[in-house]
Amino acid sequence: MHHTHSPTALNNFRRAAQAGEFLVTAEVAPPKGGDPAHMLQMAATLKGRVHAVNVTDGSRAVLRMSSLVASAILLQNGIEPICQVACRDRNRIGLQADLMGAHALGIRNILALTGDPVKAGDHPDAKAVFDLEAVRLLQLIRKMNQGFDSNEQPLTDGVLDLFTGAAVDPQCASWSGLQSRFERKIEAGAQFFQSQLITDFERLEKFMDKIAAGYKKPILAGIFLLKSAKNAQFINRCVPGVNIPQHIIDRLAKAKKPLEEGMKIAAEQVQVAQQLCQGVHMMAVKREDLIAPILDLAGVAPIDQMVMK
């Protein structure tokens, strides 16, 4: 039996992005081990609330199940994945092999990342590859979408049809660096952007007005659930380029129920993002079940699933 499109491909995220709808995505980590039950349990709480679920690829260089496989498992369970692909662990042969596999499995959304340095993670002696970085990975995917491999040889068994995004960090210290990297990613074919966690919304607004406005590509602001003052301080220490302001840390420290306060803060940030950009990317490490309640607090309606073809 020959069919050009995998029957399980879900394209709700691409459709909503191109229709200009307010996009909601969330992040889940693949399992550490062979049992996806916990990941599926967390992802199930997101059904009907997000357009797609990001599956991380060795985030912070910490070992987890392959993002490709975890994405395929989500798809089998009716949850549309955005499969993150980092350049750290695979050369261009491995990357292309996985991208072809992703397409064949019905995975359509890819987030192209350079990847965190090996030294940051739990296998600091591993050999880093970095044959490509994010911009060249985007260029490679565009080539494969046109029916060619990285050596311009034709893909004789079918062209790919991947909807590719990239990361952006509006809080990056260097404004010119931010602008040139963003524009290079657009030129390389990025169709949407997900940001690092945002704490400085004035800076996001400036980025939207001065840089992103001309390009009409959806920007999803990263919203992170802070569980306590201690959690916020840990993030300031351990996550490069993130600076959670003192007033937020104080608010969490004073709260009788810090987790509920964290949910309120995240909901307020979702409401600010709604005024500034075309979406939010929700991160609630190990408490993905709280994302739907945060969206409720923010007044974000459930996603209409009827449009899934």
Side-chain angles (χ1 to χ4, degrees):
M1 181 168 120
H2 179 80
H3 44 216
T4 47
H5 285 289
S6 160
T8 49
L10 294 176
N11 271 311
N12 202 35
F13 178 68
R14 183 184 334 205
R15 185 206 55 74
Q18 290 170 344
E21 288 174 28
F22 187 74
L23 302 169
V24 185
T25 59
E27 195 154 283
V28 300
K32 181 162 184 181
D35 181 0
H38 177 70
M39 175 187 74
L40 282 172
Q41 199 184 328
M42 287 294 152
T45 67
L46 300 168
K47 262 194 183 176
R49 297 313 304 260
V50 302
H51 292 92
V53 171
N54 274 56
V55 183
T56 55
D57 182 13
S59 175
R60 301 200 332 278
V62 170
L63 172 67
R64 294 271 180 174
M65 182 187 286
S66 144
S67 62
L68 172 64
V69 173
S71 295
I73 292 168
L74 288 182
L75 193 54
Q76 287 166 357
N77 286 272
I79 295 159
E80 181 168 353
I82 296 173
C83 182
Q84 297 190 0
V85 177
C87 296
R88 178 189 58 245
D89 305 326
R90 283 156 294 179
N91 66 14
R92 67 194 72 185
I93 300 174
L95 289 165
Q96 290 176 97
D98 279 356
L99 290 162
M100 289 189 264
H103 177 90
L105 287 166
I107 295 163
R108 291 291 175 267
N109 309 308
I110 302 286
L111 190 73
L113 302 168
T114 298
D116 298 314
V118 164
K119 293 280 172 276
D122 61 354
H123 288 63
D125 299 331
K127 188 179 195 315
V129 180
F130 294 116
D131 189 12
L132 307 180
E133 48 65 61
V135 172
R136 287 191 297 160
L137 177 56
L138 287 162
Q139 291 166 341
L140 169 64
I141 296 170
R142 184 169 58 193
K143 245 183 213 182
M144 297 181 84
N145 278 344
Q146 291 163 349
F148 296 93
D149 71 13
S150 64
N151 294 325
E152 311 289 342
Q153 297 304 305
L155 300 177
T156 48
D157 291 308
V159 359
L160 304 195
D161 175 27
L162 300 171
F163 185 61
T164 320
V168 63
D169 182 8
Q171 292 165 165
C172 167
S174 155
W175 189 256
S176 60
L178 167 63
Q179 180 159 12
S180 73
R181 192 130 180 89
F182 177 74
E183 289 173 353
R184 282 177 62 216
K185 285 177 175 180
I186 295 243
E187 277 161 33
Q191 297 298 315
F192 66 92
F193 289 85
Q194 290 173 311
S195 92
Q196 312 287 40
L197 74 104
I198 302 283
T199 51
D200 182 346
F201 285 86
E202 283 172 25
R203 178 82 177 187
L204 174 65
E205 184 168 17
K206 185 182 170 198
F207 167 76
M208 292 306 301
D209 291 345
K210 303 264 193 297
I211 297 179
Y215 293 101
K216 303 280 182 277
K217 298 286 183 217
I219 311 286
L220 284 73
I223 309 288
F224 191 92
L225 171 64
L226 295 166
K227 302 181 189 81
S228 64
K230 199 174 134 210
N231 178 219
Q233 286 156 339
F234 170 81
I235 290 189
N236 278 349
R237 266 203 321 279
C238 301
V239 181
V242 170
N243 181 27
I244 293 155
Q246 193 57 43
H247 69 88
I248 289 186
I249 297 177
D250 293 343
R251 217 178 126 179
L252 288 161
K254 282 197 203 89
K256 284 197 175 61
K257 296 182 174 169
L259 185 59
E260 281 179 26
E261 197 63 28
M263 291 172 70
K264 275 190 201 134
I265 292 167
E268 288 160 22
Q269 292 179 334
V270 170
Q271 289 173 324
V272 175
Q274 281 179 306
Q275 307 305 309
L276 299 177
C277 56
Q278 201 193 318
V280 283
H281 176 54
M282 307 296 295
M283 293 169 277
V285 179
K286 296 194 175 78
R287 289 308 307 267
E288 291 83 1
D289 54 311
L290 296 178
I291 289 173
I294 290 167
L295 294 169
D296 287 336
L297 278 176
V300 176
I303 310 270
D304 182 8
Q305 295 294 299
M306 296 310 295
V307 288
M308 281 203 176
K309 295 277 187 292

